[in-house]
Amino acid sequence: MQNSGFARRTRFAGYGVAMIAAGVFFAGCRNDAGTFAAVGSALGAGAGAIIGHQSGHGAEGALIGAGAGALGGYILGNESDKHKMERYDPNYDY
């Protein structure tokens, strides 16, 4: 019995959700970079799944969206962390 395309996509989406959950769990969220990356990943996965579903590639869209959201969230969070360090410690060199 061969796997149908739906079964493969469902399994692929399940692996993607597990990877996103593991990333959020291990991010730590002790700083803005980790928190923003986790939130960006979740929002990106949701948006990517919706957009991907419309084109017939929901799982792939979710994974691409999660990656893009995590990267964007990390960049924003890192800049927020730098701003906080500069405000609280003017001698901080980054």
Side-chain angles (χ1 to χ4, degrees):
M1 181 173 162
Q2 293 181 341
N3 286 336
S4 69
F6 178 74
R8 281 183 282 179
R9 285 191 303 269
T10 303
R11 185 175 57 228
F12 186 68
Y15 291 144
V17 169
M19 289 185 337
I20 291 168
V24 169
F25 177 75
F26 290 116
C29 302
R30 293 189 60 189
N31 54 22
D32 285 349
T35 303
F36 284 28
V39 171
S41 177
L43 293 175
I50 292 169
I51 294 168
H53 182 291
Q54 298 303 318
S55 65
H57 302 287
E60 292 89 352
L63 291 175
I64 293 169
L71 179 63
Y74 175 79
I75 291 169
L76 290 174
N78 190 40
E79 291 301 315
S80 175
D81 287 336
K82 286 181 190 178
H83 180 70
K84 285 180 182 178
M85 286 301 296
E86 184 179 89
R87 184 173 41 179
Y88 295 122
D89 186 6
N91 296 323
Y92 179 73
D93 184 26
Y94 48 100

